Amino acid sequence: MNWIIFFTKNQISYHVYKLNEGDSIILNRRKNTNTIIILTGIISLAKIFCNQEILPIAILSNNDVITNHENGNTQYCIIALKTTYIITVINQENTKNCYPIKIIKYYENTINRYEEIINLMNQQNKKHRVLIFILLIFLRFGRIKKYNIFIPFKLTKNCIANMTATSIDTVSKVVKKKYIHEKGKVHSISIKNLKLI
């Protein structure tokens, strides 16, 4: 859906922001009450509690919707995994009656992304959690070329550690043992000799 045309046509105020790879935004309920829609790109979303504990929420991409809910002292952190454009809706009071039915589909897609991470976090074995997360990313964003699967961005070990609630050492051990090509960042996985059980 072309959100800019939709918002302009319905006279809804909005801002478009560009996030370069690695850029982050902290969403605080008191300061940010706007709905955010990802126009293009890929981001990770995590909840930060007042004790600085991080809870991974989802990996989101095109047309996924983020709304900032009242959650006490918690904040949300958005980190761009590749160059990303987001649009924020400024005056939400005027928008409730003119959202198209399609937005329900986009909300459902976003909820499915949340459930992927919830299911991942239910995995008790940390090494399996890291491997499942990496395979999930390659399944969603990967392109096959000969015996390799490539993703269109570099997945850092720090991002993998945050999104799987593990340490960078655990991520490094898993990456070394599997057929994953990395030089500081994961970019491709070999499927020629990879055996999935």
Side-chain angles (χ1 to χ4, degrees), residues 23-42:
D23 286 353
S24 62
I25 298 174
I26 301 294
L27 301 177
N28 183 316
R29 175 65 180 165
R30 283 163 271 174
K31 295 177 185 173
N32 308 94
T33 57
N34 301 334
T35 298
I36 296 172
I37 301 170
I38 301 166
L39 296 176
T40 182
I42 302 168

Side-chain angles (χ1 to χ4, degrees), residues 4-196:
I4 294 174
I5 291 172
F6 171 74
F7 290 140
T8 304
K9 190 176 174 183
N10 290 286
Q11 298 179 341
I12 299 168
S13 300
Y14 64 89
H15 286 294
V16 176
Y17 298 98
K18 177 185 178 183
L19 301 174
N20 293 315
E21 180 183 336
D23 286 353
S24 62
I25 298 174
I26 301 294
L27 301 177
N28 183 316
R29 175 65 180 165
R30 283 163 271 174
K31 295 177 185 173
N32 308 94
T33 57
N34 301 334
T35 298
I36 296 172
I37 301 170
I38 301 166
L39 296 176
T40 182
I42 302 168
I43 60 128
S44 67
L45 177 67
K47 187 185 280 192
I48 304 172
F49 295 94
C50 54
N51 63 357
Q52 298 306 307
E53 189 174 323
I54 297 173
L55 175 67
I57 303 291
I59 298 290
L60 302 174
S61 60
N62 303 1
N63 292 316
D64 285 331
V65 181
I66 303 167
T67 51
N68 201 1
H69 300 289
E70 184 73 61
N71 277 320
N73 294 327
T74 59
Q75 299 175 333
Y76 291 91
C77 179
I78 294 173
I79 299 174
L81 301 182
K82 64 180 269 189
T83 301
T84 301
Y85 290 89
I86 61 172
I87 190 168
T88 61
V89 182
I90 297 170
N91 188 357
Q92 295 187 47
E93 299 304 317
N94 298 334
T95 63
K96 291 179 181 172
N97 296 327
C98 63
Y99 274 153
I101 298 299
K102 268 189 163 183
I103 200 164
I104 295 170
K105 183 187 101 183
Y106 296 128
Y107 268 116
E108 287 172 354
N109 289 342
T110 304
I111 289 168
N112 290 338
R113 303 299 173 227
Y114 288 13
E115 287 177 357
E116 285 176 351
I117 299 299
I118 291 168
N119 291 333
L120 177 74
M121 295 307 292
N122 283 333
Q123 176 63 246
Q124 296 298 314
N125 186 308
K126 290 181 179 181
K127 290 181 181 177
H128 289 169
R129 196 184 310 160
V130 169
L131 186 57
I132 291 169
F133 176 76
I134 292 170
L135 292 174
L136 181 71
I137 293 298
F138 278 89
L139 179 66
R140 276 186 57 201
F141 303 108
R143 300 284 181 263
I144 297 174
K145 187 176 180 183
K146 293 191 179 180
Y147 295 109
N148 289 307
I149 303 174
F150 294 90
I151 53 175
F153 59 96
K154 306 270 193 241
L155 189 60
T156 64
K157 291 180 183 177
N158 191 36
C159 175
I160 297 169
N162 284 338
M163 293 306 293
T164 57
T166 58
S167 68
I168 292 176
D169 291 337
T170 303
V171 173
S172 295
K173 287 176 187 172
V174 171
V175 168
K176 283 179 186 173
K177 285 185 179 178
K178 301 301 171 190
Y179 301 94
I180 300 168
H181 307 294
E182 50 90 27
K183 291 176 183 169
K185 298 177 179 181
V186 177
H187 187 248
S188 67
I189 185 168
S190 173
I191 54 176
K192 189 172 186 179
N193 300 314
L194 185 65
K195 295 177 183 175
L196 300 176

